[in-house]
Amino acid sequence: MTDLAAAAPPYSPGLAGVVAGETSIALVDGEHGRLLYRGYPIQQLVERGTFAQVCELLWTGAWSSGVAQAAAPLPDGVLTALGQLPTGTNAMDALRTAISVWGAQQGLTWPPTVEQARALTCFAPTALAAWGRVRRGLRPIEPDPALPGLAAAFLHQLEGVRPDAASARALDAYFIVAAEHGFNASTFTARVITSTRSDLASAVVGAIGALKGPLHGGAPAEVVSQLHEIGSPDRAEAWINAALDRGERLMGFGHRVYRAYDPRAAALRKVAEGMSGTADWLRLAVQVEDVALRILAERHPDRPLKTNVEYYTAAVLQGVGLPPDLYPATFALARHAGWTAHCIEQAGVDRLIRPDVHYVGEPERDLPAG
Ligand code: ACO
């Protein structure tokens, strides 16, 4: 280490334990398994609210009834851009591209506003649904103004049929649960970009790039294949022990912040229990979960490893009929609410985020002769 680095404050890999800001948007209480949006518990928001209300709550701090949200139409330029992507393109790349084109067309200026946040959050489901069709050689579907809410609109624009009320409600509940989660990597990315006084679309494009990484974007599709491989509850114990003996991780368990049961997993489990058509899969998931939690506790007595949000995300997204390769981008649709709320909050701080770094390279020296 150089003398300069030795004299500087200590470095914390991954910024673990470093307080990088203040927020009044959400409290993530990992010790007690609590998640509050503007003070309201996630379970109450899921049971009594809609995603439209939650978005307004995150953006403005106010809880209001009668809030409506309608999907935005697809601009021609975005359709042209999506049409030029290879059909095997990762859905996160397609969504990121669509928002980049949309942002260029909108000419958004700093600081971000609630109106901009609304427009972007209502455009994203249209963009992802369009990609879900364009890649299959199908034409995108115009939003149906009679359909209330972005979740129903997304399912309709993806498949071309109006979803049943239960599926729309289940996806809306998922959007609420996934809307916001403090200073995670993608939200922090969005805040860094906003701190330079760049525009909201640029911040969200960066956030999608951060969310795409497998350490952040989550593992619900892998939960599906894990349960598929296990097949029946009587095979769970042997399968799990063999996987852990090979040094693998159980998908849908463990979290950087939560030491208690992830409150989002609890909320989504309730949603999944209320859905029709998920009963067999859910029964297997619940029984495998019991075995997994027991084995993880035996193997890690000092490190609580509980169920995380991804475990029951898989149940809900599978129940509403989404293809697993759209799961991460569907998560991004919900997280637009939190990202854009943080951008608005960051603009209020209006201070460039620019941390220090320890230089650990060569000391000053002269170039070799010649
Ligand atoms: N299965 C088995 N063992 C695990 C798991 C798991 N899911 N998670 C952590 N561990 C073990 C580790 O092997 C490690 O053991 P060791 O101390 O004997 O080496 C110990 O628990 C601590 O692990 P860390 O890597 O320090 O835990 P960290 O908090 O950094 O990891 C993470 C969190 C990445 C989510 C991890 O728990 C994991 O990989 N889980 C599986 C993937 C998953 O479900 N991801 C979705 C997370 S939620 C989200 O992203 C929205």
Side-chain angles (χ1 to χ4, degrees):
M1 188 185 288
T2 63
D3 291 348
L4 274 176
Y11 159 54
S12 172
L15 301 187
V18 173
V19 176
E22 293 181 328
T23 184
S24 55
I25 299 171
L27 171 69
V28 182
D29 178 356
E31 209 52 49
H32 303 99
R34 283 189 309 157
L35 173 60
L36 313 180
Y37 294 171
R38 303 270 186 198
Y40 299 118
I42 191 70
Q43 189 61 48
Q44 286 185 25
L45 292 165
V46 169
E47 285 168 5
R48 294 172 33 202
T50 64
F51 182 60
Q53 285 175 296
V54 165
C55 286
E56 295 297 324
L57 175 71
L58 294 172
W59 294 327
T60 67
W63 184 251
S64 36
S65 52
V67 179
Q69 225 171 20
L74 189 74
D76 288 345
V78 176
L79 179 57
T80 304
L82 290 178
Q84 287 172 356
L85 298 178
T87 53
T89 298
N90 182 311
M92 291 289 270
D93 289 335
L95 180 64
R96 195 194 60 226
T97 302
I99 290 182
S100 188
V101 173
W102 179 90
Q105 292 177 331
Q106 296 287 315
L108 303 178
T109 53
W110 190 94
T113 63
V114 172
E115 288 69 33
Q116 291 177 2
R118 265 191 214 114
L120 180 43
T121 304
C122 291
F123 165 69
T126 294
L128 182 59
W131 171 244
R133 296 182 68 80
V134 167
R135 68 177 182 171
R136 289 182 280 163
L138 302 171
R139 282 203 62 72
I141 290 176
E142 286 293 315
D144 177 349
L147 269 183
L150 296 182
F154 174 58
L155 292 173
H156 169 242
Q157 288 178 278
L158 186 62
E159 293 306 337
V161 285
R162 285 174 149 225
D164 60 84
S167 294
R169 176 64 197 140
L171 189 62
D172 194 77
Y174 169 69
F175 279 3
I176 293 172
V177 164
E180 158 59 7
H181 210 237
F183 262 47
N184 54 80
S186 57
T187 300
F188 190 58
T189 302
R191 288 192 74 130
V192 170
I193 293 172
T194 301
S195 83
T196 69
R197 296 192 181 172
S198 184
D199 67 279
L200 190 66
S202 298
V204 168
V205 165
I208 294 173
L211 184 68
K212 185 186 165 197
L215 290 187
H216 183 21
E222 291 179 58
V223 172
V224 174
S225 42
Q226 182 175 278
L227 284 173
H228 188 71
E229 278 181 40
I230 293 174
S232 67
D234 54 305
R235 286 168 38 88
E237 178 132 10
W239 191 96
I240 290 169
N241 275 318
L244 294 177
D245 288 345
R246 288 192 301 271
E248 293 173 13
R249 291 186 172 205
L250 298 183
M251 292 300 131
F253 296 90
H255 195 272
R256 174 62 66 83
V257 178
Y258 290 119
R259 294 295 171 263
Y261 199 100
D262 185 332
R264 301 171 297 173
L268 288 179
R269 176 173 166 170
K270 274 196 179 176
V271 172
E273 284 167 353
M275 295 172 78
S276 60
T278 57
D280 289 347
W281 200 84
L282 196 60
R283 198 173 308 116
L284 174 65
V286 169
Q287 288 172 335
V288 169
E289 180 189 25
D290 288 343
V291 177
L293 289 175
R294 175 170 52 74
I295 294 176
L296 287 170
E298 285 164 7
R299 289 188 178 231
H300 296 275
D302 302 326
R303 170 75 158 85
L305 291 170
K306 305 289 190 197
T307 315
N308 68 43
V309 63
E310 305 292 20
Y311 197 75
Y312 286 107
T313 290
V316 173
L317 296 189
Q318 183 166 262
V320 300
L322 288 183
D325 71 332
L326 290 191
Y327 291 179
T330 305
F331 181 92
L333 299 184
R335 191 50 66 85
H336 272 66
W339 288 333
T340 50
H342 276 274
C343 291
I344 292 168
E345 188 175 60
Q346 181 62 43
V349 178
D350 194 15
R351 187 88 207 273
L352 180 71
I353 296 175
R354 202 317 187 175
D356 286 338
V357 66
H358 286 174
Y359 174 69
V360 295
E362 299 292 341
E364 185 172 349
R365 53 190 170 153
D366 292 325
L367 275 172

